[in-house]
């Protein structure tokens, strides 16, 4: 059985005052796993605030190397040391802003696994790619290139995030989400075998909010969500967690 996952990506938002959001979420009783990925500057303080909560913490990126001369970068081990148990990798904003390739994402995922962090690996097409009819091909290529060979349900989560749906208020139709998630599951099965594929969680991400969460979570092979804007306030994120629990 795949445990459902509601993951919040705070991106480059939040100073110390944002930790109050964690206090408000800390007692949310959920059977789903709840994960918040704050900016790295807040990780260790967030870990202190959540020390008695079931809410887990994650990073938003890591370097592929364990340590060394990489000014400004953070290693997977450093994230783990600061209190993270997971890390988002290959988010489309990093692929776009920093030119991250599938090979780099894969190397980072290997580093995350070595540091005992769950790698939440993002894939997703641009609007141009969707309109050209290339969605499945693009997402399959990203999946193949970004996932390490030893991926398992314990070490990897895949997030399908159509680039054009992130932060725009637009979401694909439920049939489009179902098509991609089903294809992702089939690709995982072809590469890792049915048993491993059945254990890897598939999140949908892109403009998830309280008003659309329930219908998205009802789609086959959607095991939860990666949520950006609506994870910044407890009043917005809590109903999404509730919808996931109820699905
Ligand atoms: C994201 O950045 O991963 C994301 C899904 O953002 P939003 O929910 O704001 O679209």
């Amino acid at each position: 059985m795949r445990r459902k996952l509601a993951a919040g990506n705070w991106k480059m938002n939040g100073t110390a005052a944002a930790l109050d959001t964690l206090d408000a979420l800390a007692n949310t009783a959920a059977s789903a796993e709840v994960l918040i990925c704050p900016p790295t500057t807040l990780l260790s303080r967030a870990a202190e605030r959540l020390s008695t909560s079931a809410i887990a913490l994650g990073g938003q990126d890591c370097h592929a190397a364990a340590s060394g001369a990489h000014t400004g970068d953070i290693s997977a081990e450093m994230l783990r040391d600061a209190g993270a148990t997971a890390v988002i990798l290959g988010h489309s904003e990093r692929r776009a802003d920093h030119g991250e390739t599938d090979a780099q994402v894969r190397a980072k995922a290997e580093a995350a696994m070595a540091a005992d962090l769950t790698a939440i690996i993002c894939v997703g097409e641009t609007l141009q790619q969707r309109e050209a009819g290339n969605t499945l091909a693009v997402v399959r290529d990203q999946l193949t290139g970004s996932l390490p060979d030893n991926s398992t349900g314990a070490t990897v989560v895949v997030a399908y995030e159509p680039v054009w749906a992130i932060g725009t208020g637009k979401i694909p139709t439920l049939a489009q989400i179902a098509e991609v998630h089903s294809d992702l599951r089939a690709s995982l099965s072809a590469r890792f075998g049915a048993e491993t594929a059945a254990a890897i969680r598939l999140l949908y991400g892109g403009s998830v909010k309280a008003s659309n969460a329930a219908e998205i979570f009802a789609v086959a092979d959607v095991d939860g969500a990666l949520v950006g804007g609506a994870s910044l306030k407890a009043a917005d994120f809590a109903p999404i967690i509730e919808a996931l629990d109820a699905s």
Side-chain angles (χ1 to χ4, degrees):
M1 273 300 287
R2 299 183 294 271
R3 188 172 176 209
K4 293 169 186 173
L5 172 60
N9 173 15
W10 284 8
K11 313 191 187 193
M12 198 172 71
N13 295 295
T15 53
L19 295 170
D20 291 348
T21 297
L22 300 179
D23 295 336
L25 285 171
N27 296 321
T28 310
S31 58
E33 184 180 346
V34 180
L35 174 79
I36 301 281
C37 301
T40 314
T41 48
L42 292 180
L43 256 183
S44 55
R45 279 176 286 173
E48 280 166 28
R49 293 282 266 267
L50 291 173
S51 61
T52 59
S53 165
I55 296 177
L57 290 165
Q60 299 176 12
D61 177 50
C62 70
H63 197 278
S67 63
H70 302 289
T71 303
D73 282 313
I74 301 284
S75 75
E77 191 189 351
M78 290 168 180
L79 292 176
R80 179 88 216 180
D81 182 56
T85 55
V87 59
I88 299 169
L89 295 172
H91 191 283
S92 60
E93 287 155 14
R94 292 213 54 91
R95 290 178 187 264
D97 295 354
H98 300 273
E100 286 190 10
T101 63
D102 292 335
Q104 286 169 325
V105 174
R106 179 183 177 139
K108 290 176 179 210
E110 285 166 355
M113 288 178 180
D116 204 18
L117 294 180
T118 301
I120 302 176
I121 299 174
C122 303
V123 298
E125 82 286 1
T126 62
L127 188 58
Q128 200 183 18
Q129 289 164 333
R130 175 162 283 280
E131 287 175 349
N134 293 332
T135 297
L136 295 183
V138 166
V139 168
R140 275 180 206 152
D141 274 359
Q142 289 177 331
L143 190 77
T144 303
S146 305
L147 264 66
D149 285 334
N150 58 345
S151 297
T152 67
T155 57
V156 159
V157 171
V158 176
Y160 168 53
E161 299 209 309
V163 179
W164 53 273
I166 295 178
T168 59
K170 295 179 192 153
I171 63 165
T173 65
L174 300 179
Q176 287 170 331
I177 296 174
E179 179 187 37
V180 175
H181 278 239
S182 155
D183 198 73
L184 285 169
R185 187 80 64 206
S187 298
L188 291 171
S189 187
R191 178 166 168 196
F192 299 110
E195 200 177 324
T196 296
I200 295 179
R201 291 176 288 183
L202 301 180
L203 308 183
Y204 167 78
S207 296
V208 175
K209 48 192 177 192
S211 57
N212 61 23
E215 61 180 17
I216 292 170
F217 295 148
V219 173
D221 276 309
V222 172
D223 302 310
L226 180 53
V227 182
S231 70
L232 292 171
K233 289 188 191 153
D236 295 331
F237 199 38
I240 294 173
I241 298 168
E242 279 162 26
L244 185 59
D245 261 352
S247 68

